[in-house]
Short mmCIF file of all heavy atoms in Angstrom, two decimals:
data_model
loop_
_atom_site.label_atom_id
_atom_site.label_comp_id
_atom_site.label_asym_id
_atom_site.label_seq_id
_atom_site.Cartn_x
_atom_site.Cartn_y
_atom_site.Cartn_z
N SER D 259 -75.44 -36.57 -64.37
CA SER D 259 -75.37 -37.29 -65.66
C SER D 259 -75.79 -36.32 -66.85
O SER D 259 -76.37 -35.34 -66.57
CB SER D 259 -76.35 -38.43 -65.62
OG SER D 259 -77.63 -38.05 -65.59
N SER D 260 -75.34 -36.74 -68.01
CA SER D 260 -75.64 -35.86 -69.16
C SER D 260 -77.11 -35.67 -69.42
O SER D 260 -77.44 -34.65 -70.00
CB SER D 260 -74.92 -36.53 -70.40
OG SER D 260 -75.50 -37.76 -70.66
N GLY D 261 -77.97 -36.59 -68.95
CA GLY D 261 -79.34 -36.43 -69.14
C GLY D 261 -80.06 -35.69 -68.02
O GLY D 261 -81.25 -35.49 -68.10
N THR D 262 -79.28 -35.21 -67.01
CA THR D 262 -79.79 -34.58 -65.84
C THR D 262 -79.42 -33.10 -65.71
O THR D 262 -80.15 -32.20 -65.38
CB THR D 262 -79.57 -35.38 -64.59
OG1 THR D 262 -80.15 -36.61 -64.64
CG2 THR D 262 -80.10 -34.65 -63.30
N ARG D 263 -78.14 -32.92 -66.05
CA ARG D 263 -77.53 -31.63 -65.77
C ARG D 263 -78.10 -30.48 -66.57
O ARG D 263 -78.52 -30.66 -67.61
CB ARG D 263 -76.02 -31.70 -66.03
CG ARG D 263 -75.67 -31.93 -67.47
CD ARG D 263 -74.11 -31.93 -67.68
NE ARG D 263 -73.48 -33.05 -67.03
CZ ARG D 263 -72.60 -33.82 -67.59
NH1 ARG D 263 -72.25 -33.57 -68.85
NH2 ARG D 263 -71.99 -34.84 -66.97
N TRP D 264 -78.04 -29.33 -65.91
CA TRP D 264 -78.44 -28.04 -66.60
C TRP D 264 -77.21 -27.38 -67.12
O TRP D 264 -77.34 -26.64 -68.07
CB TRP D 264 -79.18 -27.18 -65.60
CG TRP D 264 -80.62 -27.52 -65.41
CD1 TRP D 264 -81.26 -28.66 -65.64
CD2 TRP D 264 -81.60 -26.60 -64.70
NE1 TRP D 264 -82.56 -28.54 -65.22
CE2 TRP D 264 -82.72 -27.37 -64.68
CE3 TRP D 264 -81.50 -25.33 -64.20
CZ2 TRP D 264 -83.96 -26.77 -64.12
CZ3 TRP D 264 -82.70 -24.78 -63.69
CH2 TRP D 264 -83.79 -25.55 -63.57
N VAL D 265 -76.07 -27.55 -66.41
CA VAL D 265 -74.81 -26.89 -66.78
C VAL D 265 -73.77 -27.98 -67.18
O VAL D 265 -73.68 -28.99 -66.47
CB VAL D 265 -74.29 -26.04 -65.61
CG1 VAL D 265 -72.99 -25.39 -65.95
CG2 VAL D 265 -75.39 -24.99 -65.31
N GLU D 266 -73.07 -27.71 -68.28
CA GLU D 266 -72.08 -28.68 -68.64
C GLU D 266 -70.77 -28.44 -67.97
O GLU D 266 -70.49 -27.39 -67.43
CB GLU D 266 -71.88 -28.48 -70.25
CG GLU D 266 -73.04 -28.95 -71.03
CD GLU D 266 -73.46 -30.36 -70.91
OE1 GLU D 266 -72.55 -31.29 -70.94
OE2 GLU D 266 -74.63 -30.67 -70.74
N GLY D 267 -69.90 -29.49 -67.96
CA GLY D 267 -68.60 -29.38 -67.34
C GLY D 267 -67.52 -28.88 -68.34
O GLY D 267 -67.84 -28.30 -69.39
N LEU D 268 -66.29 -29.26 -68.04
CA LEU D 268 -65.21 -28.88 -68.94
C LEU D 268 -65.31 -29.42 -70.37
O LEU D 268 -65.06 -28.83 -71.33
CB LEU D 268 -63.88 -29.29 -68.32
CG LEU D 268 -62.64 -29.03 -69.12
CD1 LEU D 268 -62.42 -27.52 -69.41
CD2 LEU D 268 -61.35 -29.64 -68.38
N VAL D 269 -65.73 -30.74 -70.37
CA VAL D 269 -65.97 -31.36 -71.74
C VAL D 269 -67.46 -31.62 -71.83
O VAL D 269 -68.05 -32.59 -71.27
CB VAL D 269 -65.18 -32.76 -71.76
CG1 VAL D 269 -65.43 -33.34 -73.11
CG2 VAL D 269 -63.74 -32.49 -71.47
N PRO D 270 -68.12 -30.72 -72.49
CA PRO D 270 -69.63 -30.84 -72.56
C PRO D 270 -70.05 -32.20 -73.31
O PRO D 270 -69.45 -32.64 -74.25
CB PRO D 270 -70.05 -29.65 -73.52
CG PRO D 270 -68.93 -28.71 -73.33
CD PRO D 270 -67.65 -29.51 -73.17
N GLN D 271 -71.14 -32.77 -72.70
CA GLN D 271 -71.67 -33.99 -73.32
C GLN D 271 -73.08 -33.61 -74.01
O GLN D 271 -73.61 -34.47 -74.67
CB GLN D 271 -71.92 -34.96 -72.22
CG GLN D 271 -70.61 -35.64 -71.72
CD GLN D 271 -70.79 -36.67 -70.67
OE1 GLN D 271 -71.47 -36.49 -69.63
NE2 GLN D 271 -70.26 -37.87 -71.00
#
Side-chain angles (χ1 to χ4, degrees):
S259 68
S260 62
T262 300
R263 67 178 64 135
W264 281 15
V265 176
E266 295 298 313
L268 177 62
V269 183
Q271 294 181 302

